[in-house]
Structures are given as structure tokens and as C-alpha cells.
């Protein structure tokens, strides 16, 4: 049994089948290899396996962007006159009047594999779940005294879906299998569905099933399945399905294609399937060689005991009381499982629906770079998944020509302008609204991920070939875009704090008006992103052959960035201009950027400003939040060393925005007051990945200069163990027991390491054993300065 002998923290178990009304794929159990996704849902009699591919998209339109660069001067003139509402729409209206139209693509469901089995007796002992240690999804039940199971994984080794149905009684298995076009529950997509249906071709031949449909570009996509019955026999039905009779084990192998001629692709995939090992265990073993090094690259343990906990039980506990440590463990592991299954280093970046999208035009299914895609990658470096950053970095590099064209034609600037929303092959502006069009910090924010990958990898070739060229393009845009005021400081306008509107420009009505007037002057976040970009650029260039002329330019630019400003209550202002008042009824936390996700402001260096950011985030109102904003806020509170408040954010998220399969959704569809009140609750897996990061931030703070151990430990996390978290030049493992006052850690350097280590507050006395040099830090008690060569280690433990 695939769930036996698996630690509870590494598996999900559910008692109920997918039951969301109509859109049952929302409660599916996901599997994937970073390219092919399989979402398993349904129940005993009828099961559906929704199959998707990361490169299969449709409905996108690439427009020819007109040159409207003259509008920047006009927009600024309007703002100088106080005509902020007119300025807000000026660029967007001009682009529309030029007839420009561009449309983001949508991920296209590839095919459903449908299974139907008779139910001769009432079921018992039903269970479905995921073994995250292996990447297998499974369903088990009994009918009378006969046990049935169905299990599936998507092979990282052979790029094939492997699905097996078996029973413990000879000749007891009867099933019908077939391919089908995935249905739609969207009224707006009925015509698109019918259009695709006209192109569907299904064929059954011997023990093979074939499927194809044709995309809007004339390219076929589809699948081939090989069915292996251990005994019994196979029959083709009148409606194009394959009937399996009197067998005890059935294995189905599925390969897919996304473009080309279907006859050629069917022939090719049939040959590949014929040459493939048919044994489930052998295929699984090959898959695990690729999958498990990723999944076990780090580990977290907050609980002991061998009991199994069902998802429904844990969610009920969170709903009625508070989130359990067991659920925290599972959410951390599940987020990593989703990420490893949903992207790969040489593929597409992880998407809002992963690889498990279940309709033809889903809300917010694009790559959104004003929060969401960044959140999905925050956890990677510390969690030992740095290599998967390549999918994010290469995706944006492929769109650089579009980004350069955008900067020139929208603003008359060199460098790059990245619109918040993109999809594969479409980097032109597409969401023609001011809150998106007037926001210019996406490129700078994404540069943080480029540079962080270099910091953790130490790959100077990567720094030279990809990171620095990208960052220099961002700096060129800033150099051309910003103006210098009478004080010799930069004035950044139009400037947007995603996706907020100042309180004094909010309309006086009870109805929700999205983004009424976001275009302002000197948003705190815009300057914070710019400052980080320039500092990293100067530092990065010092690691290769520096260009002194460029460094002098960037240094001068840094000097012209104004200081952050405080309100009368000591909180950091969201806009560094007195025309605009803070609006705390909002989900975005953009102005907290210098604390998180950046590392500019730390308590050791500027405690007053550090506390100013604390006051700013504390003012945010509960009912304005979403699933992802709770995850974001948890990471912020972790950076502020407030573990209890960080945990409360995750508690709020768990009782408002978690489905039974632990998918996160945008908001609470039940309207229980913990999130925004809107009429839909789309799946958004960014919060799943945000949870992973928040938990890691609570346990470990990492910068190139400083490591804090257990910086934001909640009162309830009295004991635990972390293995193989990463800092920028090595690995770190530690365990703790607060009631007993015990702690130990081992730090291993993979490269030369010079770091300051901050030990947990509860640790009163400690000793160390080290290959390197250890001295007490000028920061004071509990801080150590550590210097190690490559492949050295230090062990620190409580002096009991």
C-alpha cells in the first residue's frame, strides 16, 4: 500500500472524494513532473484524470505597440497641476485610442482520461491521498471483502503518466477507459469548447488508445495510451472506449504531444511506449532517482508520533480552534511537492494553477509579477531548490525584445519595462488599466530573484551572462525615467504602490471599486526596489571585472534616492509625498519591501526604521486580506521576529482560504470575515508556496552577511528539527527543545564563508567545535562571527 511506512508529514489523506460543485478539478489530487500535470478527481464509480502540459496555451493575441512615449511628459504635467485622475488614465487612454490590442494567453487543458468501474456493493474504507515521498496519487476502498486501489505518478525520468488499477482478488476487476475533451463550466467558453470538439479524433486499436484535438494555430495536440492487462481481456466499445474484463491488475501508460501532425505523433509515441518498461515498480524506481533528491533536499519536523491525520480533521481543528503543528508540517511539505511537480529548471515557471488548470479561460492564470510569481519562488534558495529558479529567470530573458520595445514606445526610455502580466511569448502590455500600465517596478523586483540565485550558487558565469546584463537594462530604464527635483533628489512619477489607492483618493461609496486612482508620486516601494537593484548591481560588478564609469553612475543614482518617511504615529509611509495618505484597507503590503522581501532594513542597523515598518504592517485591516496576502504578511512578521503574529496569519489563512486538498484560494468563498468579500474564489497556488517561505522565515533568516536561528519561533513550536536548509554559501541543520533549554546546530560551508550568526534567545550557554574561526561579534550577546573555508563545519550546542 502506497501510504504505508510513510511519515505522516509526507502524505495527504482524505476521507471524502472531490466534491466542489461542478468544478471538481479544484479539489483534485495533483501529480506532475514539471512539464506534464495530472489532476486526479472524481470518485469510485467514475474517476477523471485531467492531463495538462506546461507549453500548451491558447487565446493569446500579440499586439503591435504604438509609440506613445510623448505621453510621459503630458502625464507628469497633469500631475504637476494636481489633475491626478486625468493623469492616472492618460497613458492607458492614448494606447487604447491608437487601436492597440493585446491579450494574454491561457493554459489549455490537454485531455481527460476517464475511468468507469461498476459498483456491485456499497463501498467502505474509502481513502484518497498523495504520497509526497514518491509523488504518487492513490485511491483505495473495499467492496465487500475485495480491496481495490488506483494509483498514479508522472515520471520525471521517462516523461510518462503511469497509472495502475488493481484488486486483491483474481479476475475481480472490470473497467472502461477512454479519452475525452475536458468539459467547461464557463458559459463564456462554450463556443471555444465546441470549436475544439469539432477537431477531436479518438481511436482505439488493440491495446492502444489515441486522442487528438487541434489548437487555434492549426497544430494538433493529444495523447497515446498503452493499456496492459495482467490477465483477462480487452474489448473496444461502441463509443470509443476500451473495456477491461476479468483482470486483477491494469496498467496504463500515457504519453502526450502538444504540436505537430497527429498521425506522426501517434506513431512516434506508440513506438516510445512499446520500448518502455511496463512494470510499475521499475518505472517508479527510475522516477524516484530524479524526484527524491529534490523533495528531500531539506526537511522539517515539528511533531513526533506515528499517527495519521486526515486533511478534513486538521482543517476542522484549524477552523474551530487554531492551526496545528501537524498541518503546518504538511503545508510546508505540500507546497514543495506542488512546486517540484509543477515546474522544472529548463521548463516554464510555476503558474497560479500549477499544471492542474481545469478550464479554458481561468481567472488570473497568467504570470503576474506585482506579487504572485515572486511569492512562488521566495522559498527556493533556503529550501534547497535553487536550480528551479532557472525556469523563472529564463522565462523573462526570452521576452527581453518585447520588454525593450515597451520601454521605448511607452516611456521613451532605454532598458526594459516589464508589464505585470505576461504569458509565454507575450511580453507586451495587455492589461490596459492604469494600475498595471503605470507601474514600472516589475523588472527591478524580478532582478532580486536573478541576483539571489547568484548569491546562493556563486556561479560567476551565470552572473556575467544573465544576471548583470538583465540588471543593467533595469538600471538604464531608471536612469532615463526618473527626474531630479530642486533638492537634487529623484522624483518618481507616475508611481504605483501595487495595487493600492491613497485613502484620500478612494471614492466615497460602499461598493468595491478596484484601483480607483493608483497613480501617484514617490511610492515607497518603487524607490525601495530601485535602491536594492543598484546596490546589488554595484556589488555584483565588483565580483567580476568592474566598469568604473558605470559604477559611478549607479552610485550617483543611489545618492539621489530620498529617505523613507514616517507618519506621525511612527509608521512608514506608503507614499513619500504628502499629497497621498496611507490606505490600510488593502491586501498588498508593497511599502514593507525594505524589510521583506528585501533585506535593506534590519534591527541591528536601524531599529527606529525597523519598528516603523512594524507599525505600518500592524495597521493593515483583517477583512481586506486574501490567501496570498496572509502568506505574505506571515513572512513579514517573521522578518520582524514576531512568530506568534506570523503563525496567526497562517492560522487565518488555514481557516479561510484552504480547500480540502490543501489548495489555497484567493479568498473565503463562505464570507466569514477573514478576507475580501468577492463573488468568486479562484484557486491561487501562490499562497501554497508563500506558506513554505513563511515557515522557513520563522525558523531561519538568511542574508549574505547574517544568519538568525529561530528568529520568529512561535510559543507553540516548542521543539523541532530542520535539516539542510541553505544559506548563501552552505547548509545548516538544527534542532531545539525550548522547555529543556537544549539546542544544537551544524553549519557546513560549501564555499568560503564569512558570516555573523545570531543564536536563539532562549539559549543561555553554549559551546562550539569548529574547523574555521569563531569569535564573538560586535553585535553583542548571542552573536558570533564565523569564517570558514570551503568544506569546513562548525557545531554549536547548548552547554547542558
Amino acid at each position: 500500500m502506497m501510504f504505508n511506512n510513510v511519515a505522516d508529514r509526507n502524505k495527504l489523506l482524505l476521507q471524502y472524494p472531490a466534491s466542489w460543485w461542478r468544478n471538481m478539478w479544484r479539489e483534485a489530487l495533483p501529480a506532475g513532473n514539471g512539464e506534464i500535470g495530472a489532476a486526479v478527481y472524481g470518485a469510485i464509480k467514475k474517476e477523471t484524470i485531467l492531463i495538462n502540459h506546461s507549453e500548451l496555451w491558447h487565446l493569446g493575441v500579440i499586439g503591435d505597440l504604438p509609440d506613445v512615449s510623448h505621453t510621459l511628459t503630458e502625464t507628469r504635467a497633469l500631475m504637476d497641476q494636481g489633475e491626478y485622475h486625468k493623469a492616472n488614465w492618460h497613458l492607458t487612454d492614448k494606447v487604447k485610442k491608437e487601436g492597440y490590442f493585446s491579450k494574454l494567453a491561457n493554459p489549455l487543458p490537454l485531455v481527460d482520461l476517464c475511468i468507469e468501474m461498476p459498483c456491485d456493493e456499497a463501498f467502505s474504507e474509502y481513502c484518497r491521498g498523495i504520497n509526497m515521498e514518491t509523488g504518487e496519487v492513490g485511491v483505495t476502498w473495499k467492496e465487500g471483502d475485495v480491496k481495490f486501489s488506483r494509483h498514479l505518478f508522472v515520471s520525471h525520468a521517462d516523461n510518462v503518466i503511469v497509472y495502475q488499477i488493481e484488486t486483491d482478488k483474481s479476475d475481480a476487476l472490470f473497467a472502461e477507459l477512454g479519452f475525452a475533451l475536458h468539459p467547461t463550466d464557463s458559459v463564456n467558453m462554450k463556443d471555444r469548447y465546441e470549436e475544439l470538439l469539432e477537431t477531436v479524433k479518438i481511436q482505439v486499436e488493440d491495446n492502444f488508445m489515441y486522442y487528438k484535438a487541434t489548437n487555434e494555430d492549426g497544430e494538433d495536440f493529444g495523447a497515446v495510451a498503452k493499456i496492459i492487462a495482467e490477465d483477462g481481456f480487452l474489448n473496444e466499445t461502441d463509443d470509443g472506449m476500451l473495456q477491461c474484463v476479468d483482470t486483477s491488475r491494469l496498467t496504463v501508460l500515457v504519453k502526450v504531444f502538444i504540436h505537430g501532425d497527429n498521425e506522426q505523433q501517434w506513431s512516434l509515441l506508440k513506438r516510445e511506449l512499446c520500448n518502455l518498461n511496463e512494470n510499475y515498480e521499475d518505472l517508479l524506481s527510475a522516477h524516484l532517482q530524479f524526484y527524491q533528491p529534490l523533495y528531500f533536499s531539506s526537511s522539517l519536523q515539528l511533531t513526533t508520533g506515528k499517527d495519521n491525520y486526515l486533511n478534513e480533521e486538521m482543517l476542522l481543528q484549524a477552523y474551530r480552534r487554531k492551526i496545528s503543528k501537524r498541518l503546518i508540517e504538511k503545508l510546508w511539505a505540500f507546497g514543495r511537492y506542488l512546486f517540484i511537480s509543477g515546474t522544472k529548471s529548463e521548463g516554464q515557471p510555476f503558474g497560479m494553477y500549477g499544471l492542474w488548470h481545469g478550464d479554458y479561460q481561468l481567472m488570473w492564470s497568467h504570470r503576474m509579477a506585482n506579487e504572485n510569481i515572486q511569492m512562488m519562488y521566495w522559498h527556493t534558495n533556503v529550501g534547497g531548490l535553487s536550480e528551479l529558479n532557472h525556469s523563472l529567470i529564463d522565462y523573462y530573458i526570452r521576452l527581453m525584445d518585447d520588454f525593450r520595445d515597451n520601454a521605448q514606445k511607452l516611456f521613451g526610455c532605454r532598458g526594459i519595462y516589464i508589464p505585470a502580466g505576461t504569458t509565454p511569448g507575450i511580453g507586451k502590455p495587455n492589461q490596459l488599466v492604469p494600475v498595471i500600465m503605470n507601474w514600472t517596478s516589475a523588472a527591478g523586483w524580478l532582478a532580486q530573484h536573478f541576483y539571489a540565485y547568484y548569491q546562493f550558487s556563486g556561479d560567476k558565469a551565470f552572473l556575467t551572462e544573465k544576471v548583470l546584463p538583465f540588471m543593467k537594462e533595469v538600471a538604464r530604464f531608471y536612469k532615463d525615467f526618473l527626474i531630479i527635483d530642486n533638492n537634487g533628489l529623484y522624483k518618481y512619477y507616475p508611481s504605483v504602490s501595487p495595487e493600492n489607492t491613497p485613502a484620500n483618493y478612494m471614492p466615497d461609496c460602499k461598493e468595491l471599486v478596484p484601483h480607483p486612482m493608483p497613480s501617484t508620486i514617490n511610492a515607497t516601494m518603487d524607490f525601495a526596489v530601485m535602491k536594492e537593484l543598484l546596490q546589488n548591481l554595484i556589488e555584483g560588478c565588483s565580483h567580476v571585472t568592474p566598469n568604473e564609469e558605470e559604477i559611478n553612475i549607479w552610485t550617483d543614482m543611489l545618492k539621489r534616492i530620498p529617505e523613507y518617511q514616517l507618519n506621525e504615529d511612527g509608521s512608514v509611509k506608503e507614499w513619500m509625498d504628502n499629497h497621498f495618505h496611507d490606505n490600510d484597507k488593502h491586501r498588498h503590503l508593497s511599502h514593507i519591501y525594505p524589510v521583506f522581501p528585501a533585506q535593506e532594513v534590519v534591527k541591528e542597523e536601524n531599529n527606529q526604521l525597523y519598528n516603523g515598518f512594524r507599525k505600518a504592517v500592524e495597521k493593515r485591516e483583517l477583512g481586506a486580506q486574501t490567501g496570498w496576502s496572509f502568506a505574505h504578511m506571515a513572512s513579514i512578521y517573521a522578518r520582524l521576529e514576531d512568530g506568534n503574529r506570523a503563525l496567526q496569519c497562517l492560522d487565518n489563512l488555514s481557516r479561510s482560504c484552504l480547500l480540502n486538498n490543501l489548495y489555497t484560494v484567493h479568498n473565503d468563498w463562505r464570507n466569514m470575515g477573514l478576507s475580501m468579500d468577492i463573488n468568486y474564489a479562484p484557486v491561487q497556488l501562490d499562497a501554497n508556496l508563500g506558506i513554505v517561505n513563511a515557515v522557513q522565515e520563522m525558523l531561519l533568516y538568511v542574508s549574505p552577511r547574517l544568519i538568525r536561528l529561530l528568529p520568529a519561533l512561535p510559543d507553540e513550536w516548542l521543539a523541532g528539527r530542520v535539516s539542510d536548509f541553505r544559506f548563501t554559501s552552505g547548509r545548516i541543520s538544527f534542532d531545539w527543545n525550548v522547555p529543556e533549554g537544549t539546542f544544537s546546530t551544524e553549519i557546513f560551508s560549501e564555499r568560503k564563508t564569512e558570516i555573523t550568526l545570531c543564536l536563539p534567545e532562549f539559549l543561555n550557554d553554549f559551546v562550539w567545535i569548529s574547523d574555521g574561526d569563531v569569535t564573538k561579534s560586535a553585535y553583542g550577546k548571542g552573536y558570533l562571527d564565523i569564517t570558514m573555508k570551503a568544506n569546513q563545519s562548525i557545531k554549536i550546542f547548548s552547554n547542558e
Side-chain angles (χ1 to χ4, degrees):
M1 175 58 187
M2 59 172 286
F3 300 121
N4 293 340
N5 303 316
V6 178
D8 183 62
R9 67 185 61 88
N10 291 326
K11 62 188 175 188
L12 302 187
L13 297 175
L14 295 91
Q15 270 187 319
Y16 277 71
S19 53
W20 190 278
W21 182 66
R22 299 178 73 178
N23 295 280
M24 281 199 286
W25 58 269
R26 292 168 59 101
E27 292 187 359
L29 296 181
N33 66 356
E35 182 177 289
I36 300 170
V40 182
Y41 63 94
I44 290 171
K45 183 178 181 181
K46 293 184 178 181
E47 181 166 84
T48 300
I49 301 169
L50 165 62
I51 299 172
N52 291 321
H53 193 285
S54 64
E55 301 282 358
L56 186 60
W57 294 71
H58 71 146
L59 301 179
V61 177
I62 305 175
D64 184 11
L65 187 64
D67 188 341
V68 293
S69 56
H70 63 280
T71 62
L72 179 58
T73 300
E74 297 165 354
T75 297
R76 287 173 171 168
L78 289 168
M79 298 182 84
D80 290 339
Q81 297 163 19
E83 298 283 353
Y84 293 110
H85 284 286
K86 289 182 180 179
N88 181 52
W89 278 97
H90 190 62
L91 170 62
T92 299
D93 285 344
K94 288 291 186 182
V95 170
K96 289 180 177 180
K97 286 179 181 178
E98 291 288 335
Y100 173 75
F101 178 74
S102 189
K103 184 181 177 183
L104 292 169
N106 291 265
L108 173 60
L110 196 152
V111 69
D112 282 350
L113 177 61
C114 304
I115 299 92
E116 185 165 352
M117 297 172 62
C119 299
D120 296 327
E121 299 186 48
F123 71 88
S124 63
E125 300 182 26
Y126 174 83
C127 180
R128 65 184 180 121
I130 305 174
N131 179 347
M132 294 185 288
E133 292 187 358
T134 62
E136 293 174 279
V137 170
V139 181
T140 63
W141 73 96
K142 287 181 69 175
E143 291 182 29
D145 60 352
V146 181
K147 293 181 180 180
F148 292 87
S149 67
R150 298 191 288 239
H151 33 279
L152 171 149
F153 67 93
V154 185
S155 174
H156 278 68
D158 297 300
N159 214 35
V160 64
I161 299 170
V162 184
Y163 178 59
Q164 191 169 87
I165 310 172
E166 57 184 347
T167 175
D168 65 349
K169 183 178 179 181
S170 179
D171 304 336
L173 185 57
F174 179 98
E176 288 187 348
L177 300 92
F179 284 129
L181 179 69
H182 183 72
T184 179
D185 288 307
S186 169
V187 174
N188 296 331
M189 284 291 104
K190 292 295 184 183
D191 289 345
R192 177 59 175 148
Y193 174 82
E194 294 295 335
E195 179 184 285
L196 285 164
L197 190 60
E198 289 293 322
T199 71
V200 168
K201 181 179 180 181
I202 296 174
Q203 185 173 310
V204 177
E205 184 180 285
D206 298 326
N207 63 325
F208 284 87
M209 300 191 307
Y210 305 86
Y211 173 88
K212 82 91 181 175
T214 305
N215 207 348
E216 58 193 356
D217 59 0
E219 292 281 335
D220 292 338
F221 62 92
V224 178
K226 181 181 181 182
I227 294 86
I228 305 107
E230 186 166 292
D231 41 35
F233 53 94
L234 304 175
N235 296 320
E236 180 182 352
T237 67
D238 293 337
D239 54 355
M241 299 186 75
L242 198 60
Q243 191 179 78
C244 311
V245 182
D246 295 341
T247 184
S248 55
R249 180 180 293 117
L250 192 66
T251 304
V252 183
L253 307 178
V254 183
K255 279 187 168 279
V256 305
F257 67 97
I258 57 170
H259 54 75
D261 174 74
N262 75 279
E263 295 291 346
Q264 293 178 350
Q265 292 296 320
W266 283 357
S267 178
L268 173 65
L269 296 185
K270 179 181 179 181
R271 286 197 302 271
E272 291 180 5
L273 289 169
C274 287
N275 292 329
L276 199 62
N277 188 329
E278 297 178 356
N279 182 272
Y280 183 96
E281 294 301 328
D282 290 343
L283 290 166
L284 180 63
S285 179
H287 158 73
L288 296 181
Q289 298 300 310
F290 293 83
Y291 171 79
Q292 287 192 331
L294 291 170
Y295 184 75
F296 288 114
S297 59
S298 61
S299 66
L300 164 67
Q301 181 177 342
L302 295 175
T303 65
T304 57
K306 297 182 179 180
D307 293 339
N308 292 325
Y309 290 79
L310 296 166
N311 279 18
E312 294 92 346
E313 294 173 339
M314 292 186 297
L315 288 172
L316 183 60
Q317 178 181 342
Y319 191 75
R320 296 184 64 183
R321 295 190 295 278
K322 57 186 176 181
I323 192 169
S324 66
K325 290 182 289 184
R326 186 72 67 173
L327 182 54
I328 289 288
E329 285 181 326
K330 283 184 186 275
L331 286 169
W332 181 82
F334 183 56
R336 286 168 52 84
Y337 168 79
L338 289 172
F339 192 73
I340 294 164
S341 303
T343 188
K344 61 180 184 179
S345 60
E346 67 276 17
Q348 287 291 326
F350 194 89
M352 294 287 270
Y353 294 83
L355 291 176
W356 307 287
H357 43 276
D359 217 323
Y360 292 88
Q361 193 176 42
L362 289 164
M363 180 176 290
W364 304 322
S365 61
H366 52 273
R367 318 299 193 206
M368 194 66 176
N370 70 357
E371 167 83 24
N372 311 91
I373 198 167
Q374 289 94 335
M375 174 176 284
M376 293 188 281
Y377 280 79
W378 284 337
H379 67 97
T380 55
N381 295 312
V382 169
L385 299 174
S386 284
E387 67 184 80
L388 297 182
N389 280 292
H390 284 284
S391 61
L392 176 75
I393 292 166
D394 291 341
Y395 169 79
Y396 283 101
I397 287 177
R398 288 193 294 268
L399 294 171
M400 288 294 280
D401 287 343
D402 278 356
F403 301 154
R404 294 186 187 100
D405 192 55
N406 297 341
Q408 183 61 47
K409 291 181 177 177
L410 291 178
F411 304 107
C413 296
R414 298 171 300 156
I416 58 175
Y417 165 79
I418 299 180
T422 60
T423 50
I426 303 178
K428 297 291 184 71
N430 40 73
Q431 297 161 293
L432 302 185
V433 288
V435 72
I436 301 298
M437 295 290 289
N438 294 336
W439 185 61
T440 55
S441 287
W445 192 350
L446 288 164
Q448 180 191 82
H449 292 260
F450 282 59
Y451 196 67
Y453 174 77
Y454 160 68
Q455 289 174 314
F456 277 81
S457 69
D459 186 341
K460 288 190 177 180
F462 181 86
L463 174 69
T464 302
E465 295 166 10
K466 294 187 177 181
V467 178
L468 292 179
F470 182 88
M471 294 171 70
K472 287 179 181 181
E473 296 264 23
V474 183
R476 289 188 192 104
F477 178 85
Y478 285 135
K479 178 66 176 173
D480 290 358
F481 181 77
L482 273 74
I483 65 169
I484 300 173
D485 67 14
N486 294 332
N487 298 316
L489 299 176
Y490 277 132
K491 186 176 182 180
Y492 200 130
Y493 73 134
S495 182
V496 174
S497 187
E499 299 174 6
N500 204 357
T501 288
N504 53 323
Y505 285 90
M506 289 295 292
D508 186 18
C509 64
K510 293 183 178 180
E511 294 182 7
L512 178 65
V513 179
H515 326 306
M517 210 299 289
S519 303
T520 64
I521 299 171
N522 291 0
T524 296
M525 182 196 192
D526 278 336
F527 276 131
V529 171
M530 178 185 175
K531 184 185 292 187
E532 178 188 53
L533 180 281
L534 293 172
Q535 290 171 337
N536 287 342
L537 193 49
I538 292 168
E539 180 187 81
C541 284
S542 72
H543 296 165
V544 293
T545 304
N547 182 317
E548 292 300 327
E549 183 179 353
E550 288 181 323
I551 290 177
N552 288 337
I553 291 172
W554 302 328
T555 301
D556 180 69
M557 292 173 69
L558 272 172
K559 293 177 181 177
R560 296 187 184 277
I561 297 176
E563 297 292 329
Y564 302 126
Q565 297 179 10
L566 301 180
N567 293 298
E568 291 183 0
D569 62 3
S571 63
V572 170
K573 288 186 175 182
E574 189 157 357
W575 294 277
M576 296 157 60
D577 186 289
N578 291 330
H579 286 96
F580 309 103
H581 303 164
D582 284 4
N583 177 14
D584 297 312
K585 298 178 181 180
H586 205 266
R587 63 202 175 278
H588 277 263
L589 298 148
S590 307
H591 59 312
I592 314 299
Y593 191 94
V595 169
F596 177 84
Q599 298 175 319
E600 176 190 352
V601 176
V602 294
K603 68 175 184 180
E604 287 85 355
E605 297 173 5
N606 193 331
N607 196 53
Q608 181 185 10
L609 193 57
Y610 180 80
N611 285 325
F613 283 103
R614 179 193 303 277
K615 290 180 180 179
V617 71
E618 287 173 354
K619 290 165 64 177
R620 278 305 202 245
E621 294 191 7
L622 183 66
Q625 302 311 307
T626 63
W628 60 259
S629 73
F630 279 132
H632 189 169
M633 195 179 290
S635 289
I636 290 172
Y637 276 124
R639 286 282 175 93
L640 294 170
E641 301 190 25
D642 193 335
N644 290 330
R645 279 189 167 167
L647 184 60
Q648 182 63 56
C649 291
L650 300 183
D651 190 18
N652 291 342
L653 193 163
S654 70
R655 67 177 65 187
S656 62
C657 298
L658 275 185
L659 300 183
N660 285 350
N661 59 350
L662 299 190
Y663 278 3
T664 51
V665 295
H666 178 268
N667 55 276
D668 190 349
W669 65 100
R670 299 160 300 196
N671 295 322
M672 293 295 288
L674 286 177
S675 72
M676 292 179 67
D677 181 6
I678 55 179
N679 295 325
Y680 38 81
V683 169
Q684 285 193 283
L685 301 184
D686 52 355
N688 280 109
L689 282 306
I691 293 168
V692 177
N693 183 75
V695 172
Q696 291 174 182
E697 293 276 359
M698 293 160 78
L699 298 172
L700 182 70
Y701 171 83
V702 170
S703 79
R705 304 177 300 278
L706 178 66
I707 297 173
R708 291 196 192 97
L709 291 162
L710 303 179
L713 190 69
D715 293 340
E716 298 169 26
W717 296 5
L718 296 175
R721 162 171 282 277
V722 162
S723 297
D724 291 326
F725 277 13
R726 304 311 198 273
F727 59 98
T728 53
S729 56
R731 303 190 307 270
I732 185 166
S733 301
F734 49 93
D735 59 70
W736 71 96
N737 189 309
V738 177
E740 296 180 5
T742 60
F743 177 83
S744 66
T745 183
E746 181 171 7
I747 304 171
F748 179 80
S749 61
E750 296 172 341
R751 305 190 307 278
K752 181 181 177 182
T753 297
E754 295 180 359
I755 201 87
T756 297
L757 179 69
C758 178
L759 293 166
E761 287 188 358
F762 72 84
L763 185 59
N764 294 317
D765 191 18
F766 56 89
V767 294
W768 66 77
I769 301 171
S770 176
D771 296 334
D773 295 326
V774 182
T775 58
K776 293 185 177 180
S777 170
Y779 282 141
K781 181 182 177 181
Y783 289 86
L784 298 173
D785 291 332
I786 297 172
T787 302
M788 293 187 288
K789 299 176 182 178
N791 299 316
Q792 289 188 327
S793 66
I794 175 174
K795 296 179 180 179
I796 303 172
F797 44 91
S798 49
N799 190 13
E800 301 176 49

